[in-house]
Amino acid sequence: AAGVIQSPRHLIKEKRETATLKCYPIPRHDTVYWYQQGPGQDPQFLISFYEKMQSDKGSIPDRFSAQQFSDYHSELNMSSLELGDSALYFCASSSRGEQPQHFGDGTRLSIL
Amino acid sequence: QQQVKQSPQSLIVQKGGISIINCAYENTAFDYFPWYQQFPGKGPALLIAIRPDVSEKKEGRFTISFNKSAKQFSLHIMDSQPGDSATYFCAASSNFGNEKLTFGTGTRLTIIP
């Protein structure tokens, strides 16, 4: 069965650079969630989209923005990167009214 | 402020034994409680989930017990196997799971032969 696809799997950036993370949800899933997981920590919710509209917002820095496109894929744009942004970034997708959220294998972002 | 509290932080169980992980929540709006299993370098994968209208749900070797009045739920892994060694997260969501997941802090489970 098709799963959530995230790209790239690994990304190395320097401080103050920008990064774009991509997420391709499971076909026919209309909702996308982004989570950030620091080393040894639990995933923290950043932002979600339903039918291309932002549906909820968590502890996402103002330096980050995201959107969901007409084909339902989503992109997380991160600017002015800081050392503390080093983490695993997960995307999850679901179909509204149906659980569960299915997670991709994440993008490991390292800031040097 | 951790809305979902999970214990223990780490757990070592012998092969064939029962692994038990506990979670407690505060927000009474939560109405969907999944457990996720995560291996290193992988995303969380759903194991089993429960809604508060039932007190127990079993799928294979995995059982969730739910106590609505105490706002607690637990995962039991029967006949634990070395392949079960992973990090386990409890989580909670509202609107029947159509909202963001709030995760517990995770339990690193190690099954020894």
Side-chain angles (χ1 to χ4, degrees), chain A residues 18-82:
Chain A
T18 62
T20 298
L21 279 53
K22 297 185 179 182
C23 169
Y24 298 86
I26 292 172
R28 291 181 293 282
H29 279 191
D30 50 24
T31 306
V32 167
Y33 304 83
W34 286 95
Y35 295 85
Q36 178 191 56
Q37 185 177 31
Q41 297 182 357
D42 54 293
Q44 295 290 316
F45 170 72
L46 291 177
I47 195 167
S48 63
F49 293 88
Y50 167 61
E51 284 290 346
K52 292 151 280 184
M53 298 288 289
Q54 181 181 309
S55 54
D56 196 3
K57 192 172 181 180
S59 50
I60 183 169
D62 292 340
R63 300 177 288 109
F64 295 4
S65 65
Q67 57 182 321
Q68 185 179 32
F69 294 85
S70 57
D71 64 350
Y72 293 98
H73 95 272
S74 178
E75 295 184 3
L76 178 65
N77 298 293
M78 310 161 72
S79 63
S80 303
L81 289 168
E82 303 174 354

Side-chain angles (χ1 to χ4, degrees), chain A residues 91-102:
Chain A
C91 170
S93 75
S94 68
S95 181
R96 196 75 168 178
E98 300 178 13
Q99 304 89 10
Q101 293 180 26
H102 297 266

